[in-house]
Amino acid sequence: MKVNVEIECTPEEARRFMGLPDVSRANDVYVDSLVQAMKGAGSLDQVQDLIKGFAPMGEMGLRMFQQIMESGTKAAFGSTNNK
């Protein structure tokens, strides 16, 4: 048996319902500091270094995210690469 339940609510209502903390202020500080740092970057290499430092788990986190995105793309569209 399969049962589907649809709940219509805002992201804020869902966060409260699940008991998750409100991290909007921390997110605002994080984004503001990232924007300020990127404004000071003069080259693409500097931007990449900044992003690696700001990303969760640094460079390893970026690699994991890239692998997740690549595998999701392959699953959705099929692999055109026969490795």
Side-chain angles (χ1 to χ4, degrees):
M1 176 181 358
K2 184 175 182 180
V3 176
N4 291 322
V5 177
E6 290 186 33
I7 299 173
E8 216 174 288
C9 65
T10 66
E12 176 66 19
E13 291 169 334
R15 181 193 61 75
R16 286 183 187 174
F17 176 76
M18 290 188 277
L20 299 172
D22 182 7
V23 295
S24 59
R25 285 192 218 162
N27 186 59
D28 292 342
V29 170
Y30 180 80
V31 170
D32 288 342
S33 62
L34 181 60
V35 168
Q36 291 302 320
M38 292 200 53
K39 283 182 182 178
S43 70
L44 183 58
D45 290 334
Q46 287 176 331
V47 171
Q48 287 177 330
D49 290 341
L50 285 169
I51 296 211
K52 287 177 187 175
F54 273 100
M57 298 184 344
E59 191 171 346
M60 185 175 74
L62 288 175
R63 282 192 199 131
M64 286 173 45
F65 179 73
Q66 183 179 14
Q67 289 173 348
I68 290 168
M69 296 304 288
E70 287 173 356
S71 61
T73 302
K74 287 177 185 174
F77 299 109
S79 178
T80 58
N81 193 356
N82 295 327
K83 285 186 180 179

